[in-house]
């Protein structure tokens, strides 16, 4: 009788082992490899305004497939920060037109009628022609700046440089939005992969719990084994709930960055083939950043604009030469005072500032100090850019090493889990050993998925810090 029982137990164990070997659901999936079609650091800049935005792919379900590049382009089209920066640049363009107006002719037309005590005079007020005459007439007045020895041209040049600075600010806002989009994109990818691992973990532990429950009912496993299996299943379900919540929160942030007022339900996909290549050192990246960073370019333009404005303020102390002209007709008026019915004259005027309470001197000194401050701001940002690029490269290098280490860890955890399952099915180990192996495999799978997403975002951060256009 004892021999028959031993044979039955062995048959059940071999049947269970065979069942576990055939059930692919017992193996947790390996984390997918983050992929890029080409190294992000080496791709050429292109303008999104010359190409149409690829439409998201739709599946048979309600989810819409969306790639990182599509997400970036949607964000650039919809995010209000982009529109705000573009409008500010247009405002500055109108300021340039306002400054240029001082170089163009000033032409005014006048129609005047006067009813007065003929020949009387104004005996108070300003020093003007004091005689009052009954008349009616109309005419044109022309004033043209000949030269103010560089004051107005330098003001125009300063305004143009300010416009370039605002355009650089618009590009900086554009790259800010791209970085923010990449950040939430990879956060969603990370949450998706974590949820996938958690869901597969629940399925695997549910299957194990069902098996242990059946063996316990047959008195082939103890109640302790069943309790451990049920605890592990509950832990997996909690992991799945937390992963789902993290995914929903990441999708909410993703929809906001894309410029949608309501949450959009996208299925994000990484459409690349391999991990991007990391440059061997940060020195070349720093040189590239100093050349390309739009915020640094904006400060350079601001510095040059401040220098032009300072020069213009010093030139207020120089004379101003204008050409003047006037022509008109007086159809109504006393012939005693208006000997002809038309008038006209041309002339010139030189205005020389002599003393205005040191106003111009103070304005010139103020502009010089502002130019010096702008220069120091540029130098400070240049040093910060070098530091940020080096930090971004170090973070990316560490993230790349984490991808390699977590990949090896995942392989080892998968092997350990297979061995633990076999030992448990053969009765050579307890469920504690199997539970520990399952926990390590789950943590390794999640860690590998996180490491790959974090490395991809680290590359996006390097692109942002070096001013690489999306």
């Amino acid at each position: 009788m004892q021999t028959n029982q031993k044979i039955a137990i062995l048959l059940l164990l071999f049947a269970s082992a065979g069942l576990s070997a055939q059930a692919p659901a017992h193996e947790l999936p390996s984390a997918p490899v983050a992929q890029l079609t080409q190294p992000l650091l080496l791709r050429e800049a292109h303008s999104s305004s010359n190409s149409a935005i690829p439409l998201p792919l739709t599946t048979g379900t309600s989810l819409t497939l969306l790639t990182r590049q599509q997400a970036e382009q949607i964000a650039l089209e919809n995010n209000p920060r982009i529109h705000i920066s573009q409008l500010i640049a247009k405002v500055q363009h109108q300021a340039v037109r306002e400054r240029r107006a001082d170089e163009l002719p000033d032409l005014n037309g006048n129609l005047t009628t006067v009813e007065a005590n003929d020949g009387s005079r104004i005996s108070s007020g300003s020093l003007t022609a004091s005689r009052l005459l009954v008349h009616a007439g109309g005419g044109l007045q022309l004033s043209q700046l000949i030269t103010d020895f560089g004051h107005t041209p330098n003001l125009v040049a300063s305004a143009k440089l300010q416009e370039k600075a605002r355009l650089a600010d618009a590009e900086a806002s554009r790259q800010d939005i791209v970085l923010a989009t990449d950040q939430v994109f990879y956060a969603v990818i990370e949450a998706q992969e974590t949820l996938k691992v958690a869901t597969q973990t629940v399925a695997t532990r549910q299957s194990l719990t069902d098996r242990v429950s059946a063996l316990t009912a047959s008195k082939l496993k103890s109640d302790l084994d069943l309790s451990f299996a049920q605890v592990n299943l509950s832990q997996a379900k909690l992991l799945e709930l937390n992963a789902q919540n993290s995914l929903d929160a990441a999708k909410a942030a993703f929809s906001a960055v894309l410029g949608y007022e309501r949450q959009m339900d996208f299925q994000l996909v990484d459409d690349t083939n391999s991990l991007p290549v990391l440059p061997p050192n940060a020195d070349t990246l720093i040189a590239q950043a100093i050349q390309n960073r739009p915020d640094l370019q904006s400060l350079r333009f601001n510095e040059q604009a401040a220098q032009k404005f300072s020069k213009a303020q010093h030139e207020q102390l120089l004379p101003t030469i204008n050409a003047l002209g006037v022509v008109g007709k007086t159809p109504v008026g006393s012939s005693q005072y208006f000997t002809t019915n038309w008038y006209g004259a041309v002339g010139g005027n030189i205005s020389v500032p002599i003393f205005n309470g040191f106003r111009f001197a103070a304005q010139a000194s103020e502009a010089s100090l502002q130019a010096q401050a702008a220069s120091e701001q540029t130098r400070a940002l240049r040093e910060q850019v070098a530091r940020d690029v080096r930090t971004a490269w170090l973070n990316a290098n560490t993230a790349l090493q984490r991808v390699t280490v977590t990949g090896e860890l995942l392989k080892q955890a998968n092997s350990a889990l297979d061995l633990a399952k076999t030992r448990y099915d053969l009765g050579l180990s307890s469920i504690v050993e199997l539970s520990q192996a399952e926990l390590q495999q789950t943590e390794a799978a999640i860690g590998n998925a996180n490491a790959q997403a974090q490395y991809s975002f680290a590359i996006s951060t390097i692109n942002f810090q070096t001013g690489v256009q999306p």
Side-chain angles (χ1 to χ4, degrees):
M1 184 65 179
Q2 294 179 350
T3 302
N4 293 335
Q5 289 180 345
K6 291 181 179 179
I7 293 174
I9 292 173
L10 289 175
L11 288 175
L12 285 173
L13 290 175
F14 283 119
S16 300
L19 181 61
S20 63
Q22 295 175 1
H26 293 171
E27 294 293 336
L28 294 178
S30 298
V33 177
Q35 302 164 340
L36 291 172
T37 55
Q38 56 183 344
L40 287 175
L41 297 175
L42 303 179
R43 65 184 182 184
E44 295 183 355
H46 66 278
S47 174
S48 61
S49 60
N50 297 328
S51 59
I53 297 179
L55 295 176
L57 302 175
T58 57
T59 62
T61 64
S62 60
L63 295 179
T64 300
L65 299 182
L66 196 67
T67 65
R68 179 182 58 84
Q69 184 178 10
Q70 290 172 338
E72 291 174 353
Q73 292 174 339
I74 291 174
L76 292 175
E77 287 292 323
N78 295 342
N79 196 285
R81 283 186 57 191
I82 299 298
H83 302 154
I84 292 171
S85 61
Q86 291 173 346
L87 290 172
I88 291 176
K90 291 180 179 179
V91 168
Q92 185 59 37
H93 178 69
Q94 299 307 313
V96 174
R97 295 182 62 192
E98 293 173 9
R99 286 298 187 186
R100 287 190 60 193
D102 294 336
E103 298 179 322
L104 302 178
D106 186 8
L107 182 63
N108 295 293
N110 297 293
L111 294 174
T112 305
T113 61
V114 177
E115 176 66 29
N117 183 9
D118 222 7
S120 62
R121 297 178 181 274
I122 300 175
S123 61
S124 64
S126 59
L127 299 175
T128 60
S130 61
R131 181 173 293 181
L132 301 179
L133 302 171
V134 175
H135 69 280
L140 299 175
Q141 292 180 346
L142 175 67
S143 175
Q144 171 64 57
L145 175 67
I146 301 301
T147 181
D148 55 5
F149 299 94
H151 174 69
T152 299
N154 279 317
L155 289 178
V156 174
S158 176
K160 288 181 178 180
L161 289 168
Q162 288 285 353
E163 181 184 10
K164 292 181 179 180
R166 300 295 78 76
L167 291 173
D169 289 340
E171 177 61 26
S173 297
R174 185 173 180 270
Q175 294 191 10
D176 287 343
I177 294 302
V178 169
L179 179 65
T181 302
D182 289 352
Q183 182 178 14
V184 293
F185 179 88
Y186 288 116
V188 174
I189 288 289
E190 186 175 330
Q192 285 179 173
E193 298 305 322
T194 301
L195 179 59
K196 186 186 298 183
V197 172
T199 302
Q200 190 62 54
T201 301
V202 169
T204 301
R205 294 187 180 182
Q206 181 66 62
S207 176
L208 177 62
T209 301
D210 293 341
R211 288 170 49 207
V212 173
S213 178
L215 292 173
T216 302
S218 301
K219 305 301 181 180
L220 299 177
K221 292 292 182 182
S222 66
D223 292 336
L224 180 61
D225 287 347
L226 179 59
S227 297
F228 270 110
Q230 291 172 342
V231 168
N232 292 338
L233 177 60
S234 298
Q235 290 176 342
K237 290 180 178 179
L238 287 175
L239 175 63
E240 185 179 27
L241 287 175
N242 292 333
Q244 183 63 58
N245 181 71
S246 298
L247 178 59
D248 293 339
K251 284 186 175 181
F254 183 69
S255 298
V257 170
L258 294 190
Y260 294 113
E261 295 182 357
R262 61 185 180 88
Q263 181 170 337
M264 306 296 292
D265 196 8
F266 292 117
Q267 178 68 31
L268 304 188
V269 293
D270 199 348
D271 60 343
T272 51
N273 299 319
S274 61
L275 288 173
V277 178
L278 182 67
N281 58 72
D283 294 335
T284 56
L285 297 178
I286 292 175
Q288 184 180 5
I290 297 298
Q291 183 68 26
N292 297 335
R293 278 280 291 264
D295 52 348
L296 188 55
Q297 291 176 357
S298 175
L299 284 188
R300 289 197 191 102
F301 288 131
N302 284 333
E303 178 184 355
Q304 295 171 14
Q307 292 171 353
K308 289 290 184 180
F309 183 74
S310 175
K311 189 175 181 181
Q313 293 297 81
H314 282 81
E315 289 164 345
Q316 289 186 113
L317 299 171
L318 301 178
T320 300
I321 303 177
N322 289 286
L324 306 173
V326 62
V327 64
K329 189 174 183 180
T330 310
V332 177
S334 173
S335 59
Q336 180 182 356
Y337 300 108
F338 299 95
T339 57
T340 63
N341 62 355
W342 73 274
Y343 63 91
V346 294
N349 182 70
I350 300 178
S351 175
V352 181
I354 296 177
F355 181 75
N356 63 352
F358 304 104
R359 181 189 302 275
F360 289 164
Q363 290 176 345
S365 298
E366 177 188 359
S368 296
L369 294 173
Q370 288 177 344
Q372 295 176 20
S375 177
E376 291 300 314
Q377 287 177 344
T378 303
R379 185 169 69 91
L381 181 58
R382 187 164 53 245
E383 295 174 355
Q384 179 182 340
V385 166
R387 181 201 64 192
D388 291 345
V389 170
R390 194 174 300 278
T391 301
W393 183 86
L394 292 172
N395 291 338
N397 186 47
T398 302
L400 181 59
Q401 295 176 6
R402 289 184 69 250
V403 171
T404 303
V405 173
T406 55
E408 295 175 353
L409 177 61
L410 180 59
K411 292 179 181 179
Q412 296 169 356
N414 286 333
S415 299
L417 179 59
D418 292 338
L419 180 59
K421 285 182 178 179
T422 303
R423 286 172 53 83
Y424 180 73
D425 290 338
L426 294 177
L428 299 178
S429 64
S430 67
I431 196 172
V432 176
E433 180 181 312
L434 177 60
S435 299
Q436 184 67 23
E438 287 180 339
L439 177 61
Q440 292 175 350
Q441 201 277 344
T442 301
E443 292 177 347
I446 294 176
N448 185 245
N450 293 350
Q452 293 175 20
Q454 290 166 6
Y455 175 68
S456 297
F457 177 65
I459 294 298
S460 296
T461 303
I462 287 181
N463 289 338
F464 170 78
Q465 296 293 351
T466 56
V468 174
Q469 296 184 6

